Amino acid sequence: MKDIWKIIKELVKSWPVVRRIAHYNNDQAYRQNYLGDFWHFADPALQIGIMILMFAVRNGEDKGNPHATGLAGYIAWIALGMVTYFFMQSAMQKSAKSIQSQVNMLSRMKFSLAAIPLTEIVTELRRYFVMLGMAFFAILFMDVKPSIYWLQFFYYFIAMFVFLYALSLVTSTITVLVPDFYNAYAAVLRVGMWISGVIIPVDSPSFPLLLSNILKLNPLYYIIEGFRETLLENPIWFWQNVTANLIFWGIVIILLILGAHIHMRFRSRFMDFV
Amino acid sequence: MADKKVTVAANHVTKRFDLAERQSDKVKAVFKFWGKGIPNFWAVKGVSFEAHAGETIGIIGTNGSGKSTLLEMVAGLTQPTSGQMTINGSTSIIAIGAGMRPQLTGRANIRLKALMQGMTEKEIEAKMDDIIEFSELGDFIDQPVKSYSSGMKSKLGFAISVYSDADIVIIDEALSVGDPTFTQKSMERTKRFKEEGKTIFFVSHSAAQMRQMADRVIWMHYGDIRMDGPIDEVMPEYERFLKHFNRLSENERLTYQKRYKEAQKTFTLEHLKQIERNRQMLADPATDLQRQKENQHAFVEDNEKMGWFTRIVLTIFIIATVGLMNKQLLNMSWANVMAHPTHLITNFAPSKLAALDKRHGRNGDDNQRTDMLTATQNSYTVKEGETLASIAANANISVAAIMQANQLTDETVTPGQVLTLPVER
């Protein structure tokens, strides 16, 4: 508890620096390429395009997906899910490695170590917003009308952000202590798209109910599905599914308590481990 | 001196390193339970001193005497194993090539470092030219740092730190790399720091530099402070020691080092406590007991365990979340959970799960689905009044393809006849 409070105070204090570094990182990332920022978006855009082609267009109308009506709906459904998942995947992966790769440099600067994973997440935000803007354009194009439910976007965005940070505290610390963890984590994240309901709906009638329910416990699913329920057709308010909310926030709080504790416990020795 | 503000206060500071052979052993060493057999090395064995604003403190000592470790703790880079290091003010450490990204240009590195230290874009812009000028890098500033020589790196590092405006500046042998002109310039600059009331820590093996800069010297000797005082007192002693040490034969020198290194391995906090107690007893027996109490925490390793409150909260959250997950897995309503809590477990029985699947229309759905797909996609029952040409047009397949797939000889079809429609590619 004390640890969480300490970390929150540090984050608030270093927030301006975090934002500036994130901005700087984005500026630097593709400096030496001719096309610069283009590469930043080309890769995810290509993947989303392929997935739309393979699953939405090829599979046709609404087969196997009870959530989307028509081809247009399916495309919006996939695009929104993939944009969200790509952001979470890269933020999770980079933040997990952040402390290990930067402690040498950053600890010489009196920069709060707890803010390093946050910096990575914030850095990823720019790409996310651009991609989201593209997906949004698709959504509007697909004849979904704006509604009051769209306000929920902020709730899910904050939920996603808090979840990513809590998780990054745990994973970044474990990566420093046990470097093997990162490899396993990255591998899981790469295939995670297929079990998080990004492309294949986890409540497809062809799954046994128990399997569907297990997959639905995944916090990533909660977030992705939340965005879809907010922005696409048949929106519902987030508080209508009480249990799912409680489970999600339960997981977040557990991660936060554990993450803050192990981060604080080991931070003084990060330098010794790297 | 004493009336000035204390900027750094060390109270029985120790630093232990685990001499683990592998990374996994290092992790084990963190946990008392596992870490029994892993050898320790105490790089700093209970050091106490105070530094004031406007002081320049030189740190001398042979290699491996704990100078850098001590300064890293002063800078706040690493935390002491036990004891307290109180730092009032911001710190900046200048070490050779420290904290630069080799693939970035010098200019990008300046910007990044400045950002990390909390400067805004405007401040950086204002200082950028001064930093570049001070670093004497000229056109090389826009080259990646990996192409720099070690002298250039240390110049750049020094230039950045000079403009970082910290209260406590730590120079770890960074001055010994540049050429004499640059060193001279750096020292002039460092002297200005002193006038500005900054505390400067300064490691160097050069006695001349030490004489020029420092007004107080701390002599580190295998993890202890051997002497701490004005430069005129400590330097002659140190030089005498070095002379004596150099006159020893190779063998004697090795034995000497081995003896001290062994002491650094077998050192314990209990030991430090005992020494300190004895010292206090001799100094002032009257206040001994009280002082012991005050200092008690200084000799205990800071091993932060999770507090009881946190543990209880965490346990409650885990139990609650797992319970909720269980409820969710079995699609149970709140009323159902309240009425039959045992169902949370018994409903996992295979028969109950099958019943659940059936209730939600999941059972056998898969087979029906594939039947339906093949029925609609692949076979077609001819209706009244249809010709092969109209079927082909409706299905968007050529007449020839249908004839080939059904091995028809002519284009006549009768109502009720079942045709196989080939899948168009």
Side-chain angles (χ1 to χ4, degrees):
Chain A
M1 294 292 136
K2 229 170 38 195
D3 295 336
I4 296 179
W5 182 235
K6 242 192 237 169
I7 285 180
I8 290 174
K9 272 196 292 193
E10 275 180 24
L11 291 186
V12 169
K13 220 174 95 189
S14 45
W15 176 245
V17 185
V18 166
R19 267 187 41 215
R20 269 178 248 138
I21 293 175
H23 179 78
Y24 175 86
N25 280 348
N26 272 324
D27 270 5
Q28 283 296 326
Y30 291 92
R31 257 280 150 92
Q32 63 272 55
N33 302 69
Y34 291 112
L35 291 178
D37 273 350
F38 169 75
W39 298 115
H40 211 58
F41 307 106
D43 178 46
L46 188 71
Q47 289 204 47
I48 292 172
I50 293 283
M51 290 303 167
I52 285 176
L53 205 66
M54 292 308 295
F55 286 87
V57 181
R58 182 72 180 81
N59 274 5
E61 299 287 292
D62 54 353
K63 291 186 193 76
N65 188 353
H67 297 285
T69 46
L71 179 63
Y74 206 161
I75 290 178
W77 189 85
I78 282 196
L80 187 59
M82 286 192 73
V83 166
T84 313
Y85 187 80
F86 275 141
F87 165 66
M88 288 197 281
Q89 185 196 359
S90 53
M92 282 156 84
Q93 207 166 323
K94 288 190 180 145
S95 59
K97 195 145 184 116
S98 58
I99 288 185
Q100 192 202 36
S101 58
Q102 293 180 43
V103 70
N104 264 327
M105 170 176 183
L106 293 186
S107 60
R108 293 189 186 275
M109 312 229 171
K110 280 302 225 173
F111 184 66
S112 161
L113 283 173
I116 299 179
L118 184 70
T119 313
E120 293 293 338
I121 297 171
V122 175
T123 304
E124 287 301 311
L125 273 181
R126 188 178 72 158
R127 173 157 60 175
Y128 171 63
F129 283 133
V130 172
M131 302 295 291
L132 188 70
M134 280 151 65
F136 215 71
F137 187 71
I139 292 169
L140 286 178
F141 201 63
M142 307 290 166
D143 208 26
V144 177
K145 290 184 185 56
S147 69
I148 183 87
Y149 289 95
W150 283 22
L151 287 178
Q152 279 192 107
F153 177 83
F154 297 104
Y155 164 76
Y156 281 109
F157 183 75
I158 291 167
M160 172 170 73
F161 207 81
V162 175
F163 166 73
L164 286 177
Y165 183 69
L167 186 65
S168 75
L169 270 183
V170 178
T171 55
S172 61
T173 308
I174 298 179
T175 304
V176 172
L177 302 181
V178 189
D180 308 48
F181 170 79
Y182 176 75
N183 302 33
Y185 187 56
V188 169
L189 284 181
R190 259 198 306 280
V191 296
M193 187 162 72
W194 302 98
I195 56 163
S196 307
V198 177
I199 290 162
I200 303 166
V202 300
D203 46 5
S204 145
S206 52
F207 287 160
L209 193 67
L210 189 64
L211 179 63
S212 283
N213 285 347
I214 289 173
L215 294 178
K216 277 184 186 174
L217 296 179
N218 182 351
L220 301 184
Y221 172 79
Y222 172 87
I223 293 165
I224 291 170
E225 209 47 37
F227 279 121
R228 283 172 175 159
E229 278 165 7
T230 301
L231 296 174
L232 297 183
E233 289 160 65
N234 313 320
I236 54 165
W237 289 110
F238 68 85
W239 54 78
Q240 279 170 315
N241 196 346
V242 180
T243 320
N245 279 314
L246 289 178
I247 290 175
F248 176 79
W249 288 106
I251 293 173
V252 168
I253 289 171
I254 291 168
L255 284 174
L256 207 56
I257 293 176
L258 270 180
H261 175 70
I262 61 174
H263 178 87
M264 280 306 189
R265 169 126 189 232
F266 291 108
R267 69 153 35 164
S268 59
R269 311 184 200 207
F270 280 158
M271 281 290 276
D272 304 342
F273 281 109
V274 171
Chain B
M1 197 77 76
D3 54 314
K4 282 205 172 141
K5 196 182 132 212
V6 176
T7 47
V8 178
N11 180 17
H12 299 105
V13 167
T14 67
K15 180 75 185 175
R16 184 192 62 199
F17 290 111
D18 304 308
L19 297 180
E21 280 172 25
R22 289 181 305 166
Q23 179 83 16
S24 55
D25 289 341
K26 266 196 208 170
V27 177
K28 277 188 200 164
V30 172
F31 302 99
K32 278 213 174 105
F33 180 69
W34 277 347
K36 284 273 159 61
I38 293 162
N40 293 326
F41 182 80
W42 294 82
V44 176
K45 319 189 291 182
V47 162
S48 304
F49 65 87
E50 275 184 0
H52 305 86
E55 246 183 329
T56 304
I57 300 175
I59 313 253
I60 52 174
T62 50
N63 281 333
S65 55
K67 301 188 297 284
S68 294
T69 313
L70 181 66
L71 288 187
E72 274 179 3
M73 289 192 283
V74 172
L77 305 189
T78 55
Q79 301 299 315
T81 306
S82 77
Q84 272 177 324
M85 180 69 84
T86 319
I87 303 159
N88 300 317
S90 55
T91 60
S92 160
I93 191 163
I94 310 170
I96 305 163
M100 304 229 207
R101 290 194 187 174
Q103 71 279 16
L104 294 184
T105 65
R107 196 187 293 272
N109 264 302
I110 296 177
R111 189 170 289 273
L112 185 60
K113 270 198 138 178
L115 281 176
M116 306 257 177
Q117 271 150 356
M119 285 192 220
T120 60
E121 293 286 338
K122 265 188 203 155
E123 285 168 343
I124 296 170
E125 282 310 319
K127 283 180 178 175
M128 184 62 91
D129 289 337
D130 291 340
I131 296 176
I132 294 172
E133 201 194 307
F134 192 92
S135 70
E136 299 176 353
L137 284 171
D139 292 339
F140 271 92
I141 198 70
D142 289 315
Q143 292 298 311
V145 166
K146 63 185 173 197
S147 67
Y148 287 15
S149 70
S150 57
M152 288 159 93
K153 270 187 213 162
S154 82
K155 277 180 182 180
L156 180 60
F158 196 85
I160 295 173
S161 310
V162 158
Y163 285 92
S164 70
D165 221 26
D167 302 323
I168 301 156
V169 182
I170 296 150
I171 307 168
D172 192 355
E173 297 190 44
L175 286 184
S176 31
V177 195
D179 51 57
T181 353
F182 187 78
T183 311
Q184 195 54 43
K185 185 164 114 184
S186 308
M187 286 208 266
E188 294 302 325
R189 180 68 214 193
T190 317
K191 275 181 194 152
R192 240 168 71 202
F193 281 158
K194 197 169 153 185
E195 284 153 24
E196 289 164 13
K198 299 181 179 188
T199 310
I200 300 154
F201 286 88
F202 163 64
V203 173
S204 176
H205 289 290
S206 146
Q209 269 182 25
M210 201 52 87
R211 287 230 162 76
Q212 205 180 341
M213 304 241 321
D215 37 38
R216 174 180 159 196
V217 174
I218 291 176
W219 175 5
M220 289 293 292
H221 196 63
Y222 295 101
D224 281 321
I225 290 184
R226 179 130 166 196
M227 268 185 101
D228 174 5
I231 181 145
D232 307 326
E233 286 176 25
V234 182
M235 270 322 262
E237 283 295 320
Y238 181 60
E239 273 163 2
R240 199 172 305 141
F241 163 76
L242 280 186
K243 222 180 253 169
H244 159 77
F245 191 64
N246 284 337
R247 264 207 305 272
L248 294 177
S249 74
E250 185 88 3
N251 246 342
E252 283 172 321
R253 228 179 288 167
L254 278 178
T255 336
Y256 184 85
Q257 279 172 349
K258 212 171 164 188
R259 198 175 77 222
Y260 274 95
K261 295 272 173 202
E262 200 51 46
Q264 279 181 293
K265 277 188 203 166
T266 51
F267 173 84
T268 61
L269 286 175
E270 204 50 42
H271 192 65
L272 175 67
K273 193 173 171 181
Q274 206 58 48
I275 295 174
E276 212 46 42
R277 188 183 288 172
N278 293 346
R279 195 180 293 164
Q280 272 162 20
M281 284 278 266
L282 288 175
D284 191 358
T287 58
D288 173 52
L289 214 66
Q290 189 203 342
R291 281 205 162 195
Q292 253 182 54
K293 252 185 203 150
E294 277 172 15
N295 269 338
Q296 215 162 29
H297 62 275
F299 306 109
V300 183
E301 199 173 320
D302 193 17
N303 207 349
E304 278 180 45
K305 284 221 174 89
M306 197 182 268
W308 278 109
F309 178 65
T310 315
R311 279 190 210 194
I312 291 167
V313 172
L314 185 62
T315 318
I316 290 172
F317 267 105
I318 290 177
I319 291 170
T321 309
V322 169
L324 285 168
M325 283 178 169
N326 202 339
K327 167 185 174 295
Q328 190 81 332
L329 282 186
L330 296 166
N331 272 25
M332 286 170 73
S333 68
W334 287 102
N336 197 344
V337 174
M338 292 299 164
H340 312 283
T342 52
H343 283 194
L344 281 173
I345 296 158
T346 55
N347 274 8
F348 275 109
S351 60
K352 294 261 174 93
L353 286 178
L356 188 68
D357 265 355
K358 206 170 254 166
R359 260 211 310 286
H360 288 265
R362 297 289 175 101
N363 210 14
D365 206 38
D366 212 17
N367 293 333
Q368 280 168 25
R369 211 179 165 78
T370 46
D371 285 351
M372 196 178 72
L373 289 181
T374 47
T376 51
Q377 273 184 351
N378 293 328
S379 53
Y380 184 80
T381 317
V382 180
K383 295 189 196 98
E384 201 72 42
E386 278 184 319
T387 63
L388 195 55
S390 71
I391 294 168
N394 280 341
N396 203 12
I397 310 171
S398 68
V399 174
I402 297 178
M403 285 173 68
Q404 195 189 355
N406 294 286
Q407 289 152 355
L408 298 178
T409 45
D410 54 18
E411 291 194 17
T412 51
V413 284
T414 50
Q417 184 183 356
V418 177
L419 292 177
T420 305
L421 298 186
V423 179
E424 191 81 2
R425 288 182 206 286

